[in-house]
Amino acid sequence: MRRFFTALALSTAIVSPALAGPVEDYEALREEVWQATLDSAPQLATSIGDRRGDGKLGDISLAEYDRQTAQSRAFLERLDAIDESALPGDLRVDYAILKRSFEDGLAGAGFDQNRYVIFTNRGGWFTWFASLPHRSPLFTKADYESYVSRLEAFAKVNDDGIARSREAVARGLTQPCGPMEGLEDRISQQIVEDHTQSPFWRPFGEQPSTISDADWAALTSRASAALQESVFPSYREFRDFYVEEYKPECRTGTPGVLATPGGEEYYAYRVKSFTTTEMTPDEVHDLGLSEVARIRAEMVEVASSAGYDTREAYIEHLRTDPQYYMTDADEYLRYTQALAKEIDGWMPKLFGKLPRQPYTVSPIPAAQAPGNTTAYYERGSLETGQPGIYRLNLTELDQRPLWELPALGVHEAVPGHHHQLALQQELDIHPLRANGTFFTAFVEGWGLYSERLGIEMGLYDTPAKEMGRLSYEMWRAARLVVDTGIHAKGWSKQQAVDFMLDNTALSPGNIDAEVNRYITWPGQALAYKIGELKIRELRTRAEEALGAEFDLRAFHDAVLENGAVPLSVLEQHIDRWIAAQEG
C-alpha cells in the first residue's frame, strides 16, 4: 500500500504567546502545525479542497529539509511546555501523536541517510509526479491552470532531487546495485517523442464545458510547452544523472544499510520508527523466526487437507499448475473487481461505521508496473472527486496466482486500506489527524489484520485460498527475519531470497521484487506484522474481558475511531474502551 501524503511537513510559523491554559495552548499549537503542514504540502492541500497549493509541487531541497527540521524542533519545545495531564482524553491522544511525530522526525534528521537517500528501486519524486494526471482535480479553469503550473514546476523539484542524490553518491550512501537494475528503463518510459501520447496529456483529451475555447487554447499551448521544455527534459536529465553518475557508484557486496556509514545505528532507528515500538533488530528477528515456525506448521496441515504429503509439494503445485493463473489481463482485472464487490457485502456485518467515499479497482499505470508489487492502494478524496483506488499489476500474470487474490483484496481495499484511510478522512477529529499523520505500523497492521478477517467472511473456502492467506501471513512474518537479516546481520540478497522461497508460497518473481524492496527501503516491511499482532492481541484482550458482551463491530469501530496512531496510543485507547464497556 502506498501513494498518500504523510506526516508533518512543516513550514515557518509565528510563535504565539502563551494563552489561557493548557487546552487553549495545545489547540492553538495544533492548528498552527496544521496550517504550516498545508503551506508546505501543496498536494495535500489540494486533496482536501484547499486552494493555497494550486500550481505548486512542494519543495524537496536540502535547505527546505533543514528548515522543516528546525521548525519541528521549535514546535516540539512548545509542545513539551504544555502540561499533558491537564488535557482531556481526546487531546491527550492528539498530544501523543504530535509528540511521537516530532520526536521521530528529529531523530531521523540526525542521519545522513535521511537527508540524502531519497529514492528507492520503486521510485521517488519522479514516480509520485507521474501520478499527477490521475491525482489532480480537473473540473474548472482554475484546476487546469494549477495542473499546468505543476507541470512547469517539475524542473525545480527534479533539480533538487538530483542535488540531494548527488550528495548521497559523494558520501557513499547509494543504493545497492542489484535491486536498482532496470530503473533507467522505468525512467525512460516517462519520456515520449509525441507529447500527446504521454499520460500527462490525458487531461487535455476532452475540453470541459466550463472552459472557453480561448482559455482552452491557452492552457493546451502552455501544457504542450511544459511537457516539451520542462517535464521530458527533466526526466532525461535524471536518467542521465542516474546512468552516468549514480549507477557506476552503486554499492556492491553486502546489500544492507549496515554497510553504510552509521548504518547500524540508523537501522535501529528505522526499526523503532516504522514499528512505533522500542523493539531492537534482534527482538524483531527472533519474533519473526517464532511466527515463521507457527505459520509453517499451519501450512503443513492445509497441505495435508489437500492430499499432499508435504507442504513443499503442495506449494510447488500451487506455483506451477495452470489452473491457478490467467493469461488475459482484462479477465484478471474483471475477476478481481467481482471479488471486491463480493467482499463489500460483508462490511456492515463487521463495522458500525462505514465511509462515504467509494473505491474502484484499476490497473497500475503501465509505465510503473514492471518490477512493481502485485498491488497497492491509492488514497482518494471526496473534495477532488478522486475515489480510493485498489491498483492491480497486470504484468507477468504467470507470477500472480488467483489463490492470492482474496487475501490481497481484503488488505488493499476493504476492510483494509480503503476502509481505514477513507474513514479516517471523514472522522470527527482535527484535520491534522484526519489528513496529515500516518503511522505505518497501524495502517499496514490493520491491512494484515483485515486479511485474517477473511476467515470470518468465508473467503478462504478451498485449501488453495487458505494456503494463499497463510502464504501472505508467512510473507509478512518472513519479512521480520529477512529485513533484519539484511540490515542488521549482514545477509546477502541470495540468503534472503532462499529464506522466502523456503517458507512462503510466493512466486520467485514476486520474491525477487520483494527482497529488492526490503534492501532499498530498510525497516518499512517490519511494520505489517508488528502492527497486526498488536491488534490481534488487543482483540483477544477485549474478548476475554467482555465475554458474551463483546461486540466485534464496536471493537473494530473503536480501533479505527482515532485514525492512524502509534501502537502504544492504540493500546491505551482500547484499554480505556474495554473499561468503559465493563462499566
Side-chain angles (χ1 to χ4, degrees), residues 157-378:
V157 172
N158 191 63
D159 287 346
D160 290 336
I162 290 174
R164 287 176 70 176
S165 299
R166 186 169 279 130
E167 189 64 25
V169 174
R171 293 171 181 257
L173 295 173
T174 54
Q175 296 281 11
C177 297
M180 304 303 291
E181 283 297 323
L183 181 64
E184 60 266 41
D185 296 330
R186 294 195 289 277
I187 300 168
S188 295
Q189 287 177 339
Q190 301 294 343
I191 306 166
V192 297
E193 293 301 321
D194 180 357
H195 69 277
T196 65
Q197 300 304 305
S198 167
F200 291 108
W201 188 256
R202 285 177 190 160
F204 296 95
E206 183 176 352
Q207 180 179 341
S209 60
T210 57
I211 302 177
S212 70
D213 290 344
D215 287 338
W216 186 246
L219 286 166
T220 55
S221 176
R222 279 182 60 197
S224 174
L227 289 174
Q228 296 178 82
E229 299 170 14
S230 174
V231 174
F232 298 154
S234 293
Y235 274 111
R236 289 191 188 96
E237 182 183 7
F238 177 59
R239 181 191 59 194
D240 292 346
F241 160 75
Y242 178 76
V243 171
E244 297 170 8
E245 298 183 46
Y246 192 98
K247 188 175 180 179
E249 299 299 327
C250 65
R251 290 190 289 112
T252 58
T254 302
V257 73
L258 186 67
T260 64
E264 181 177 0
E265 295 80 8
Y266 178 60
Y267 185 63
Y269 153 72
R270 298 278 286 192
V271 171
K272 292 180 179 180
S273 175
F274 277 114
T275 67
T276 67
T277 71
E278 295 302 311
M279 296 181 75
T280 66
D282 283 344
E283 288 171 338
V284 172
H285 192 83
D286 291 343
L287 175 62
L289 291 172
S290 174
E291 282 291 284
V292 165
R294 175 186 64 79
I295 300 165
R296 190 174 179 117
E298 293 185 28
M299 294 173 88
V300 169
E301 294 179 5
V302 173
S304 178
S305 74
Y308 286 79
D309 293 335
T310 67
R311 184 190 71 100
E312 290 74 15
Y314 189 43
I315 288 175
E316 181 64 17
H317 163 72
L318 293 174
R319 282 176 173 161
T320 58
D321 194 313
Q323 69 173 302
Y324 300 119
Y325 297 85
M326 289 182 175
T327 57
D328 183 272
D330 289 337
E331 184 182 9
Y332 181 76
L333 179 62
R334 288 194 298 270
Y335 181 94
T336 307
Q337 290 168 333
L339 178 60
K341 181 52 63 176
E342 176 186 343
I343 294 168
D344 277 348
W346 278 89
M347 293 302 288
K349 301 175 184 178
L350 297 171
F351 301 91
K353 297 179 181 177
L354 298 173
R356 293 181 300 130
Q357 183 189 110
Y359 75 96
T360 189
V361 184
S362 299
I364 295 174
Q368 300 169 28
N372 215 322
T373 54
T374 299
Y376 57 77
Y377 174 71
E378 284 184 9

